[in-house]
């Protein structure tokens, strides 16, 4: 009798529908709200993200490991991931932009120019489409010039660049009917008092960001999964 119960348990487990797989790629902003997002989607999505052994957390401005970095880095990472046939998330939640708009203080040269940014996003979309991985895009959170550039000495960022790159991403995603989560506008609505440094946010803001993302994913779950 005992063995029949165990067998029935495993049969029920195997028959239960598995949760759709959510994979996240983003910069240090996503690293910080990530644990809250993982908690909020529990029981609805299988959560996973670009990760490491903690190296990215040592310096959030240096894009290594869990930090997705700029659009070139994301594209190269996805080329490697999609070459692995076991990488088949049901949706890829993605953002890149903050590292693209870094400018050298000495020359004002931007890390990834706007034409290359557009090209990289287009290539990312086409790569994911080829591998039948639906994309959900997140708009890049804000930069306040004075706050950022008085606190960051290694590189500068400007709100005008951020606005331009968000607009470019909007155009690329609209062209391909990719769902877009406006994390930029949502986070700005919380107020500047939630900044803890040049671009990162305090815990209450991170919790709200995660809840906003989880709410969007839940509200649009059926639509997102239909794209696969």
């Amino acid at each position: 009798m005992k063995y029949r119960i165990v067998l029935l348990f495993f049969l029920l487990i195997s028959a239960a529908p598995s949760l759709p797989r959510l994979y996240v790629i983003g910069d240090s902003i996503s690293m910080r709200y990530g644990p809250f997002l993982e908690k909020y989607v529990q029981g609805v999505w299988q959560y996973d993200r670009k990760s490491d052994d903690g190296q990215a957390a040592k310096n959030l401005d240096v894009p290594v490991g869990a930090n997705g970095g700029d659009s070139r880095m994301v594209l190269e990472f996805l080329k490697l991931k999609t070459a692995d046939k076991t990488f088949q998330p049901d949706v890829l939640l993605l953002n890149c932009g903050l590292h693209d708009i870094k400018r050298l203080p000495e020359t004002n040269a931007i890390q990834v120019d706007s034409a290359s940014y557009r090209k990289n996003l287009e290539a990312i979309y086409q790569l994911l489409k080829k591998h039948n991985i639906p994309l959900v895009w997140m708009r890049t959170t804000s930069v306040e010039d004075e706050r950022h550039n008085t606190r960051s000495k290694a590189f500068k960022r400007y709100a005008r660049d951020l606005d331009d790159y968000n607009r470019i991403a909007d155009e690329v995603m609209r062209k391909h009917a990719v769902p877009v989560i406006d994390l930029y506008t949502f986070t700005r609505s919380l107020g500047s008092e939630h900044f803890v440094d040049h671009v990162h946010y305090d815990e209450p803001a991170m919790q709200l960001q995660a809840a906003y993302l989880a709410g969007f994913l839940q509200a649009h779950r059926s639509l997102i999964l239909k794209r696969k």
Side-chain angles (χ1 to χ4, degrees):
M1 182 66 177
K2 175 182 176 182
Y3 295 107
R4 288 180 181 177
I5 293 173
V6 171
L7 177 61
L8 178 61
F9 173 78
F10 280 107
L11 287 173
L12 288 172
I13 291 294
S14 62
S18 60
L19 296 176
R21 295 156 296 182
L22 171 69
Y23 193 89
V24 180
I25 300 177
D27 52 37
S28 55
I29 305 295
S30 74
M31 289 169 51
R32 287 168 60 79
Y33 65 62
F36 299 110
L37 179 59
E38 181 176 12
K39 176 183 176 182
Y40 297 157
V41 301
Q42 188 174 3
V44 182
W45 299 88
Q46 296 181 58
Y47 179 92
D48 195 8
R49 67 160 294 130
K50 188 175 190 286
S51 59
D52 62 25
D53 59 0
Q55 62 186 116
K58 295 176 182 177
N59 187 338
L60 296 177
D61 287 330
V62 178
V64 295
N67 191 329
D70 64 34
S71 58
R72 285 182 300 218
M73 294 177 64
V74 169
L75 178 57
E76 291 307 309
F77 174 74
L78 283 171
K79 286 178 180 178
L80 292 174
K81 289 295 287 185
T82 54
D84 179 358
K85 295 187 183 302
T86 66
F87 181 69
Q88 270 296 322
D90 294 293
V91 60
L92 181 72
L93 185 61
L94 173 64
N95 168 263
C96 50
L98 276 180
H99 289 281
D100 295 80
I101 65 169
K102 286 179 176 177
R103 288 186 179 271
L104 292 174
E106 301 81 9
T107 63
N108 204 39
I110 198 163
Q111 183 156 318
V112 178
D113 64 61
S114 58
S116 297
Y117 183 64
R118 184 186 297 273
K119 181 179 178 182
N120 291 339
L121 294 189
E122 182 70 34
I124 288 168
Y125 171 80
Q126 295 298 339
L127 178 64
L128 294 174
K129 181 182 178 182
K130 176 182 176 182
H131 292 276
N132 195 31
I133 300 174
L135 173 63
V136 173
W137 177 259
M138 296 176 287
R139 302 184 83 223
T140 305
T141 52
S142 66
V143 168
E144 294 182 357
D145 291 5
E146 183 176 1
R147 172 185 295 276
H148 185 285
N149 295 327
T150 56
R151 301 183 183 206
S152 174
K153 303 305 179 186
F155 55 87
K156 305 297 183 184
R157 288 188 178 109
Y158 297 97
R160 64 177 183 272
D161 290 328
L162 179 71
D163 291 343
D164 286 343
Y165 282 49
N166 266 337
R167 176 184 53 78
I168 290 168
D170 290 344
E171 291 170 357
V172 173
M173 302 309 155
R174 189 182 306 116
K175 173 183 174 183
H176 298 294
V178 172
V180 174
I181 306 178
D182 193 358
L183 193 61
Y184 168 83
T185 300
F186 175 79
T187 304
R188 276 186 63 86
S189 73
L190 302 178
S192 297
E193 63 270 21
H194 289 284
F195 279 112
V196 293
D197 57 14
H198 53 313
V199 288
H200 301 103
Y201 300 94
D202 61 17
E203 186 168 310
M206 291 187 288
Q207 291 177 329
L208 289 170
Q209 288 172 326
Y212 181 67
L213 295 170
F216 183 99
L217 292 169
Q218 177 61 17
H220 297 83
R221 186 173 183 267
S222 296
L223 177 63
I224 292 167
L225 294 176
K226 279 182 182 178
R227 294 171 59 88
K228 188 167 177 65

